[in-house]
Amino acid sequence: MTQGAGIKFADVFRAGPLRQHKMAVGKNKRLSKGKKGGKKKATDPFAKKDWYDIKAPSVFNTRNVGKTLVTRTQGTKIASDGLKGRVLTCSLADLQNNEADAHRNIKLRVEDVQGRNCLTNFYGMDLTTDKLRSMIRKWQTLIEAHVDVKTTDGYVLRMFAISFTKKRQGQVKKTAYARSSQIRQIRKKMVEIMTREATSCDLKELVGKFIPEAIGKEIEKSCQGIYPLQNTFVRKVKLLRAPKFDINKLMEVHGDYSAEVSEKIERPAEEIVGAAPEEAAE
């Protein structure tokens, strides 16, 4: 670059760093105020919540299933509305005080709230994963069937059955495989028995049949002539549709239920992080 052509690079570096223009504090009001919103006071979220007792239907031996938490009624947000419709999964071993039933999970749904008690009803049933995995082995045939049924009180359920073939008495052959024609016959029997047992009673009576595994034993007995079966269970039950809510029917399911007043649970005082020592002590 020639001398008369313009500014040299050397002249730019000699001039020193460019000036930084600072914004005047008075012009932008956000600079003086600090962060937007400020620091919120730390509050314990559990201080606004209440404990409610969960009551199981009278078909089970243990009526007090446990407790659940809900935010206290505030304005238009009612506590009971937050509880209704909650689905709880319990082990049948806890509901029946029998460790032999630990392979079954029962789903209960909160239908109504009375005082500090949540009244539940049957919502579904399932086998535990470990039980299901333990039954599946080599050298046998697995047979499954499912059917939609309607109880006398209007509940629509989908029932799934599972069964496995076993060796005949004195059998030397290692395998116990059923022919496809036998599988079709067994599946037809499964559907027939599940439909007959479910459509002839109400939901409460049907749950009473699920607990001692009466339907599975009936399937095994009736299919003995086709092929010997073992480990026959109603694997899963799903509630598809329920009739319109009726408090009188719910009270029948809960039988001798009486509105007991539950004792208030005090939460132990904890130190709130970020609070002054005097506030934490209070």
Side-chain angles (χ1 to χ4, degrees):
M1 195 182 279
T2 57
Q3 280 222 300
I7 304 162
K8 289 180 182 177
F9 285 112
D11 295 336
V12 175
F13 288 116
R14 227 177 275 129
L18 295 167
R19 284 184 184 175
Q20 288 183 347
H21 294 285
K22 285 188 177 179
M23 196 182 283
V25 175
K27 301 274 182 182
N28 190 348
K29 289 177 182 174
R30 283 254 50 89
L31 288 172
S32 58
K33 284 189 178 178
K35 281 186 181 178
K36 197 172 181 181
K39 202 172 184 181
K40 283 187 179 179
K41 194 180 176 184
T43 55
D44 184 10
F46 282 85
K48 293 178 183 176
K49 295 180 187 288
D50 286 327
W51 289 94
Y52 284 76
D53 293 321
I54 298 159
K55 301 284 180 185
S58 59
V59 71
F60 302 108
N61 294 340
T62 306
R63 303 298 300 282
N64 289 325
V65 179
K67 291 182 181 290
T68 189
L69 204 61
V70 72
T71 307
R72 213 173 283 128
T73 302
Q74 204 171 26
T76 54
K77 207 172 182 184
I78 300 160
S80 60
D81 292 344
L83 288 164
K84 284 174 189 174
R86 280 192 188 183
V87 178
L88 320 140
T89 306
C90 320
S91 174
L92 187 60
D94 295 333
L95 290 167
Q96 292 295 99
N97 289 325
N98 184 7
E99 206 56 46
D101 295 324
H103 61 274
R104 256 199 203 294
N105 286 332
I106 301 287
K107 281 184 180 179
L108 301 171
R109 185 170 63 178
V110 177
E111 298 287 345
D112 195 35
V113 180
Q114 294 191 356
R116 281 291 171 91
N117 296 313
C118 301
L119 305 185
T120 62
N121 204 356
F122 178 81
Y123 188 67
M125 187 180 73
D126 207 353
L127 277 179
T128 56
T129 311
D130 59 310
K131 176 68 176 176
L132 203 57
R133 301 285 181 274
S134 69
M135 293 189 297
I136 297 166
R137 301 189 195 103
K138 290 198 288 183
W139 323 122
Q140 61 181 14
T141 305
L142 185 153
I143 303 157
E144 281 189 298
H146 64 89
V147 65
D148 290 1
V149 293
K150 191 174 184 177
T151 61
T152 53
D153 52 351
Y155 286 89
V156 179
L157 303 161
R158 184 168 289 156
M159 293 166 67
F160 299 81
I162 191 167
S163 188
F164 301 87
T165 57
K166 69 173 180 179
K167 287 182 181 180
R168 287 188 170 91
Q169 207 170 356
Q171 185 179 323
V172 180
K173 192 181 175 185
K174 186 169 79 170
T175 60
Y177 297 136
R179 292 196 298 272
S180 56
S181 59
Q182 291 171 323
I183 292 167
R184 281 197 298 273
Q185 282 178 296
I186 290 166
R187 198 175 284 127
K188 191 181 175 183
K189 278 274 183 195
M190 281 178 167
V191 170
E192 271 176 30
I193 291 163
M194 285 193 290
T195 308
R196 188 184 69 225
E197 294 292 329
T199 53
S200 61
C201 62
D202 60 11
L203 186 69
K204 189 181 175 181
E205 285 172 36
L206 187 60
V207 174
K209 289 176 184 178
F210 291 148
I211 295 165
E213 213 56 67
I215 296 170
K217 286 169 188 170
E218 181 65 32
I219 291 166
E220 268 184 30
K221 193 180 171 185
S222 62
C223 293
Q224 201 67 37
I226 304 165
Y227 207 102
L229 298 176
Q230 62 178 345
N231 295 330
T232 308
F233 295 100
V234 174
R235 177 177 68 82
K236 189 176 184 179
V237 178
K238 284 164 77 175
L239 183 70
L240 300 179
R241 208 161 50 247
K244 200 176 177 183
F245 175 69
D246 185 359
I247 187 66
N248 297 323
K249 281 185 181 176
L250 184 68
M251 296 316 288
E252 281 174 29
V253 168
H254 280 265
D256 58 345
Y257 165 77
S258 57
E260 302 152 16
V261 179
S262 60
E263 56 186 272
K264 194 179 178 182
I265 297 171
E266 291 294 338
R267 193 160 182 265
E270 290 177 13
E271 194 176 326
I272 300 162
V273 180
E278 291 81 26
E279 287 176 16
E282 285 172 12

